[in-house]
Structure formats: C-alpha cells, structure tokens
C-alpha cells in the first residue's frame, strides 16, 4: 500500500537521495538542506512523500504562485520523482493525484509541470495523466 504524507525535516536526507536520482548527479547537500528547510515553512510550497512499507518511495514538490498572465494562482509540479526500485508500481500516479488535490484545494484553475527534454519516460507519464505539452521553457545558465 502506498501512503502519502506531508514531508518533514527528518526526511531531508532521503529526499536528497531521490533528487540525485532525478538529476542523475550528486547535489550539494548543505545547499540542498538550506533550501529544503526554507521551503518546508513556505506556505506557497507543498512537499509530499510517498511511502511503501515504511520506505520512502517518492517525492513531490508543488509550488503555488499568483501569475499575472493567468490572473490567478497556478500550481506547478517542481519535482516529482519515484525511487527506481518502485517505478511502475503506481507511486507516481499517487503523487500526481496528490498534486491535483493540492491545486484544487488552493483554487488553482491549472496544474503545470516543466520537464527536462531528456526525460522522455516522464513526458509519457504526464501525458498518461491527461497533461498536454503546450509551452516551451527556455533557460539560460548564469554561472
């Protein structure tokens, strides 16, 4: 059974490991901890965890912000990652459904997600959840 819970500070190390899976590279743990701690207390950011038999199987981050071009609050999935050992078992769908609930409870008319072009399996997952690719996201590294 998959259990969805609000993330806690105590989950930080395990969540960092999942983010490293998502990014496919090591992250700066001290910087991660600082951002994680700050975001846990930010009312516009909702962190959720998925557990299977007491093991962290997935993580979800939803950011809600008021956008002028929408003239309303919009929810965006910033991170949704499932541990490689638990993929294909419904964890991602449970986390996605949680993101929809968070967005609906906040009165958001839309749920968005930006996804790296190289994550083609994730693109298919989001399409299966009913999302459509209608935007481009441009980036410019500044370092």
């Amino acid at each position: 059974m998959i259990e969805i819970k609000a993330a806690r500070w105590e989950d930080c190390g395990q969540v960092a490991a999942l983010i490293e899976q998502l990014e496919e590279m090591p992250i700066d743990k001290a910087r991660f901890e600082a951002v994680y701690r700050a975001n846990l207390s930010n009312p516009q950011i909702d962190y959720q965890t998925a557990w299977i038999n007491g093991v962290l199987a997935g993580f979800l981050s939803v950011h809600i912000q008021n956008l002028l071009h929408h003239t309303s609050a919009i929810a965006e999935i910033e991170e949704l990652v499932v541990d490689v050992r638990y993929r294909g078992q419904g964890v991602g769908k449970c986390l996605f459904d949680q993101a929809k609930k968070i967005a609906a409870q906040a009165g958001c008319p839309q749920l968005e997600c930006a996804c790296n072009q190289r994550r083609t399996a994730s693109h298919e997952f989001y399409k299966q959840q009913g999302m459509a690719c209608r935007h481009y996201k441009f980036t410019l590294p500044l370092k």
Side-chain angles (χ1 to χ4, degrees), residues 63-136:
H63 185 173
I64 298 173
Q65 58 184 330
N66 289 310
L67 298 176
L68 290 173
H69 65 282
H70 285 286
T71 65
S72 67
I74 296 296
E76 182 171 4
I77 295 171
E78 297 292 338
E79 291 101 7
L80 192 162
V81 58
V82 176
D83 187 301
V84 294
R85 300 170 295 173
Y86 294 98
R87 291 183 186 161
Q89 298 181 36
V91 175
K93 177 156 180 30
C94 286
L95 288 169
F96 186 85
D97 289 346
Q98 184 69 14
K100 289 192 307 186
K101 287 178 191 172
I102 291 165
Q105 289 170 350
C108 297
Q110 184 167 298
L111 176 62
E112 299 181 348
C113 179
C115 189
N116 192 296
Q117 291 178 356
R118 66 184 162 84
R119 294 188 184 115
T120 55
S122 296
H123 303 166
E124 291 306 311
F125 168 79
Y126 289 118
K127 287 176 187 175
Q128 289 171 2
Q129 306 316 306
M131 297 190 95
C133 184
R134 295 190 177 105
H135 297 83
Y136 290 107

